[in-house]
PDB file of all heavy atoms in Angstrom:
ATOM      1  N   ALA A 250      54.712  86.311  84.647  1.00 95.00           N
ATOM      2  CA  ALA A 250      54.595  86.582  86.087  1.00 95.00           C
ATOM      3  C   ALA A 250      55.969  86.911  86.669  1.00 95.00           C
ATOM      4  O   ALA A 250      56.115  87.848  87.475  1.00 95.00           O
ATOM      5  CB  ALA A 250      53.979  85.388  86.803  1.00 95.00           C
ATOM      6  N   TYR A 251      56.997  86.149  86.252  1.00 95.00           N
ATOM      7  CA  TYR A 251      58.353  86.440  86.729  1.00 95.00           C
ATOM      8  C   TYR A 251      58.849  87.776  86.193  1.00 95.00           C
ATOM      9  O   TYR A 251      59.557  88.508  86.896  1.00 95.00           O
ATOM     10  CB  TYR A 251      59.325  85.329  86.333  1.00 95.00           C
ATOM     11  CG  TYR A 251      59.213  84.119  87.234  1.00 95.00           C
ATOM     12  CD1 TYR A 251      58.958  82.862  86.715  1.00 95.00           C
ATOM     13  CD2 TYR A 251      59.375  84.239  88.609  1.00 95.00           C
ATOM     14  CE1 TYR A 251      58.852  81.758  87.525  1.00 95.00           C
ATOM     15  CE2 TYR A 251      59.272  83.144  89.447  1.00 95.00           C
ATOM     16  CZ  TYR A 251      59.012  81.898  88.894  1.00 95.00           C
ATOM     17  OH  TYR A 251      58.909  80.814  89.708  1.00 95.00           O
ATOM     18  N   LEU A 252      58.494  88.116  84.976  1.00 96.00           N
ATOM     19  CA  LEU A 252      58.884  89.405  84.413  1.00 96.00           C
ATOM     20  C   LEU A 252      58.261  90.548  85.200  1.00 96.00           C
ATOM     21  O   LEU A 252      58.931  91.530  85.535  1.00 96.00           O
ATOM     22  CB  LEU A 252      58.471  89.488  82.937  1.00 96.00           C
ATOM     23  CG  LEU A 252      58.808  90.795  82.225  1.00 96.00           C
ATOM     24  CD1 LEU A 252      60.323  90.979  82.157  1.00 96.00           C
ATOM     25  CD2 LEU A 252      58.196  90.816  80.843  1.00 96.00           C
ATOM     26  N   LEU A 253      56.978  90.420  85.552  1.00 97.00           N
ATOM     27  CA  LEU A 253      56.315  91.451  86.359  1.00 97.00           C
ATOM     28  C   LEU A 253      56.968  91.577  87.739  1.00 97.00           C
ATOM     29  O   LEU A 253      57.169  92.697  88.245  1.00 97.00           O
ATOM     30  CB  LEU A 253      54.832  91.150  86.498  1.00 97.00           C
ATOM     31  CG  LEU A 253      53.978  91.386  85.255  1.00 97.00           C
ATOM     32  CD1 LEU A 253      52.538  90.927  85.511  1.00 97.00           C
ATOM     33  CD2 LEU A 253      53.996  92.850  84.866  1.00 97.00           C
ATOM     34  N   LEU A 254      57.305  90.447  88.328  1.00 95.00           N
ATOM     35  CA  LEU A 254      57.962  90.471  89.634  1.00 95.00           C
ATOM     36  C   LEU A 254      59.321  91.161  89.533  1.00 95.00           C
ATOM     37  O   LEU A 254      59.676  91.977  90.388  1.00 95.00           O
ATOM     38  CB  LEU A 254      58.129  89.049  90.178  1.00 95.00           C
ATOM     39  CG  LEU A 254      58.816  88.909  91.531  1.00 95.00           C
ATOM     40  CD1 LEU A 254      58.010  89.606  92.617  1.00 95.00           C
ATOM     41  CD2 LEU A 254      59.028  87.445  91.867  1.00 95.00           C
ATOM     42  N   ALA A 255      60.080  90.866  88.476  1.00 95.00           N
ATOM     43  CA  ALA A 255      61.392  91.495  88.286  1.00 95.00           C
ATOM     44  C   ALA A 255      61.254  93.007  88.101  1.00 95.00           C
ATOM     45  O   ALA A 255      62.023  93.783  88.681  1.00 95.00           O
ATOM     46  CB  ALA A 255      62.105  90.875  87.094  1.00 95.00           C
ATOM     47  N   VAL A 256      60.279  93.436  87.310  1.00 97.00           N
ATOM     48  CA  VAL A 256      60.063  94.868  87.092  1.00 97.00           C
ATOM     49  C   VAL A 256      59.683  95.545  88.406  1.00 97.00           C
ATOM     50  O   VAL A 256      60.182  96.626  88.729  1.00 97.00           O
ATOM     51  CB  VAL A 256      58.990  95.101  86.003  1.00 97.00           C
ATOM     52  CG1 VAL A 256      58.537  96.546  85.975  1.00 97.00           C
ATOM     53  CG2 VAL A 256      59.517  94.674  84.638  1.00 97.00           C
ATOM     54  N   LEU A 257      58.810  94.921  89.176  1.00 97.00           N
ATOM     55  CA  LEU A 257      58.411  95.471  90.470  1.00 97.00           C
ATOM     56  C   LEU A 257      59.627  95.622  91.389  1.00 97.00           C
ATOM     57  O   LEU A 257      59.801  96.666  92.041  1.00 97.00           O
ATOM     58  CB  LEU A 257      57.346  94.588  91.121  1.00 97.00           C
ATOM     59  CG  LEU A 257      56.893  94.993  92.508  1.00 97.00           C
ATOM     60  CD1 LEU A 257      56.122  96.310  92.433  1.00 97.00           C
ATOM     61  CD2 LEU A 257      56.048  93.907  93.136  1.00 97.00           C
ATOM     62  N   LEU A 258      60.482  94.610  91.428  1.00 94.00           N
ATOM     63  CA  LEU A 258      61.675  94.684  92.282  1.00 94.00           C
ATOM     64  C   LEU A 258      62.628  95.778  91.815  1.00 94.00           C
ATOM     65  O   LEU A 258      63.228  96.472  92.638  1.00 94.00           O
ATOM     66  CB  LEU A 258      62.386  93.323  92.303  1.00 94.00           C
ATOM     67  CG  LEU A 258      61.633  92.196  93.020  1.00 94.00           C
ATOM     68  CD1 LEU A 258      62.363  90.880  92.836  1.00 94.00           C
ATOM     69  CD2 LEU A 258      61.438  92.506  94.486  1.00 94.00           C
ATOM     70  N   VAL A 259      62.775  95.963  90.516  1.00 96.00           N
ATOM     71  CA  VAL A 259      63.643  97.022  89.994  1.00 96.00           C
ATOM     72  C   VAL A 259      63.088  98.393  90.371  1.00 96.00           C
ATOM     73  O   VAL A 259      63.830  99.284  90.801  1.00 96.00           O
ATOM     74  CB  VAL A 259      63.808  96.890  88.461  1.00 96.00           C
ATOM     75  CG1 VAL A 259      64.411  98.151  87.861  1.00 96.00           C
ATOM     76  CG2 VAL A 259      64.663  95.681  88.125  1.00 96.00           C
ATOM     77  N   VAL A 260      61.780  98.586  90.237  1.00 96.00           N
ATOM     78  CA  VAL A 260      61.165  99.883  90.575  1.00 96.00           C
ATOM     79  C   VAL A 260      61.346 100.189  92.062  1.00 96.00           C
ATOM     80  O   VAL A 260      61.716 101.308  92.438  1.00 96.00           O
ATOM     81  CB  VAL A 260      59.672  99.890  90.167  1.00 96.00           C
ATOM     82  CG1 VAL A 260      58.961 101.093  90.759  1.00 96.00           C
ATOM     83  CG2 VAL A 260      59.537  99.879  88.656  1.00 96.00           C
ATOM     84  N   VAL A 261      61.106  99.191  92.914  1.00 96.00           N
ATOM     85  CA  VAL A 261      61.290  99.401  94.353  1.00 96.00           C
ATOM     86  C   VAL A 261      62.761  99.668  94.662  1.00 96.00           C
ATOM     87  O   VAL A 261      63.093 100.553  95.462  1.00 96.00           O
ATOM     88  CB  VAL A 261      60.759  98.183  95.152  1.00 96.00           C
ATOM     89  CG1 VAL A 261      61.164  98.268  96.609  1.00 96.00           C
ATOM     90  CG2 VAL A 261      59.251  98.080  95.017  1.00 96.00           C
ATOM     91  N   GLY A 262      63.671  98.941  94.006  1.00 95.00           N
ATOM     92  CA  GLY A 262      65.101  99.150  94.217  1.00 95.00           C
ATOM     93  C   GLY A 262      65.544 100.540  93.813  1.00 95.00           C
ATOM     94  O   GLY A 262      66.331 101.180  94.517  1.00 95.00           O
ATOM     95  N   ILE A 263      65.059 101.034  92.678  1.00 95.00           N
ATOM     96  CA  ILE A 263      65.398 102.392  92.234  1.00 95.00           C
ATOM     97  C   ILE A 263      64.892 103.422  93.234  1.00 95.00           C
ATOM     98  O   ILE A 263      65.580 104.387  93.568  1.00 95.00           O
ATOM     99  CB  ILE A 263      64.836 102.653  90.818  1.00 95.00           C
ATOM    100  CG1 ILE A 263      65.625 101.851  89.793  1.00 95.00           C
ATOM    101  CG2 ILE A 263      64.875 104.136  90.479  1.00 95.00           C
ATOM    102  CD1 ILE A 263      65.042 101.883  88.394  1.00 95.00           C
ATOM    103  N   GLY A 264      63.688 103.196  93.758  1.00 94.00           N
ATOM    104  CA  GLY A 264      63.147 104.111  94.770  1.00 94.00           C
ATOM    105  C   GLY A 264      64.009 104.141  96.017  1.00 94.00           C
ATOM    106  O   GLY A 264      64.234 105.209  96.605  1.00 94.00           O
ATOM    107  N   ARG A 265      64.512 102.995  96.427  1.00 94.00           N
ATOM    108  CA  ARG A 265      65.380 102.946  97.614  1.00 94.00           C
ATOM    109  C   ARG A 265      66.712 103.619  97.350  1.00 94.00           C
ATOM    110  O   ARG A 265      67.265 104.286  98.219  1.00 94.00           O
ATOM    111  CB  ARG A 265      65.615 101.492  98.046  1.00 94.00           C
ATOM    112  CG  ARG A 265      64.403 100.762  98.515  1.00 94.00           C
ATOM    113  CD  ARG A 265      63.953 101.297  99.833  1.00 94.00           C
ATOM    114  NE  ARG A 265      62.740 100.607 100.248  1.00 94.00           N
ATOM    115  CZ  ARG A 265      62.376 100.472 101.484  1.00 94.00           C
ATOM    116  NH1 ARG A 265      63.104 100.990 102.436  1.00 94.00           N
ATOM    117  NH2 ARG A 265      61.261  99.851 101.775  1.00 94.00           N
ATOM    118  N   ILE A 266      67.266 103.426  96.157  1.00 94.00           N
ATOM    119  CA  ILE A 266      68.557 104.027  95.824  1.00 94.00           C
ATOM    120  C   ILE A 266      68.442 105.546  95.773  1.00 94.00           C
ATOM    121  O   ILE A 266      69.367 106.259  96.177  1.00 94.00           O
ATOM    122  CB  ILE A 266      69.094 103.451  94.498  1.00 94.00           C
ATOM    123  CG1 ILE A 266      69.549 102.006  94.727  1.00 94.00           C
ATOM    124  CG2 ILE A 266      70.229 104.284  93.946  1.00 94.00           C
ATOM    125  CD1 ILE A 266      69.973 101.278  93.485  1.00 94.00           C
TER     126      ILE A 266
END
Side-chain angles (χ1 to χ4, degrees):
Y251 281 124
L252 179 64
L253 287 175
L254 179 62
V256 168
L257 177 68
L258 291 174
V259 166
V260 168
V261 170
I263 289 172
R265 295 290 178 154
I266 288 174

